[in-house]
Amino acid sequence: MKILVINGPNLNMLGIRQPEIYGNENYESLCRKIEDYGREKNLEIEIYQSNHEGDLVDKIQEAYGNVGGIVINPGAYTHTSIAIADALSAVNIPYVEVHISDVTKRENFRQISYIRDKAIATVMGLGTNGYIKALKILMGDNFL
Ligand code: CA2
């Protein structure tokens, strides 16, 4: 089964600032971690990052019929984007919502997620290991 990992705005800046919130790992090393895990488990994984809402919607739409599961960290669009939520509903592909930080312990404006109610799970506060946990959940192997 092919899995699509989607990262939204500013996640390409990981490791550059705010290590106390997002850790020291940079985006390339996050991608390597996901790819290494995929190789170990024989998963076909595509990783995609964009800072643009419409591009993220396009990518979700392109997944229709081609992808068995989605791991998505929409970044700040989590808290604002009905378009991304609608795209995920439209393609009807099981997805896991991921956040590197524990958003429940952060600002009020981060308390809303437009994608949470239809996600099969939400993983947060585990740093970049949360992506691996999300892959395990998608594969039905629910442990970190
Ligand atoms: O915790 C997460 O994974 C977030 O989705 C990350 C988003 C944030 O807007 C969400 O509320 C929670 C931010 C992406 C990374 O932003 C950076 C900011 C400064 C330096 C590096 C990354």
Side-chain angles (χ1 to χ4, degrees):
M1 128 165 135
K2 180 172 174 179
I3 294 177
L4 176 62
V5 177
I6 299 180
N7 282 303
N10 297 311
L11 283 153
N12 56 320
M13 301 292 280
L14 278 182
I16 292 173
R17 276 187 47 243
Q18 296 189 275
E20 67 288 0
I21 300 176
Y22 300 116
N24 289 306
E25 216 174 322
N26 65 22
Y27 188 68
E28 287 64 38
S29 123
L30 165 62
C31 293
R32 226 176 302 124
K33 181 188 275 192
I34 294 168
E35 282 159 0
D36 287 350
Y37 182 77
R39 221 169 291 120
E40 192 186 307
K41 297 289 178 187
N42 263 318
L43 298 169
E44 190 188 346
I45 298 184
E46 179 184 353
I47 306 173
Y48 177 79
Q49 190 274 332
S50 176
N51 295 322
H52 305 282
E53 186 175 20
D55 289 347
L56 295 165
V57 170
D58 285 344
K59 194 68 189 174
I60 293 164
Q61 289 186 6
E62 281 164 24
Y64 182 67
N66 301 310
V67 162
I70 296 176
V71 170
I72 182 163
N73 182 348
Y77 287 140
T78 307
H79 321 300
T80 62
S81 179
I82 296 169
I84 289 173
D86 282 348
L88 288 166
S89 297
V91 297
N92 200 25
I93 298 168
Y95 66 91
V96 177
E97 174 188 11
V98 174
H99 298 289
I100 294 169
S101 63
D102 181 353
V103 286
T104 64
K105 303 214 165 75
R106 299 184 64 192
E107 301 93 330
N108 279 341
F109 62 82
R110 295 186 207 273
Q111 301 315 311
I112 193 162
S113 166
Y114 284 102
I115 70 162
R116 193 155 306 157
D117 59 338
K118 297 201 174 67
I120 60 172
T122 297
V123 177
M124 61 172 87
L126 296 180
T128 56
N129 288 334
Y131 290 82
I132 305 301
K133 172 135 187 170
L135 290 169
K136 288 177 175 173
I137 292 169
L138 273 181
M139 288 165 24
D141 193 6
N142 193 356
F143 58 89
L144 181 61

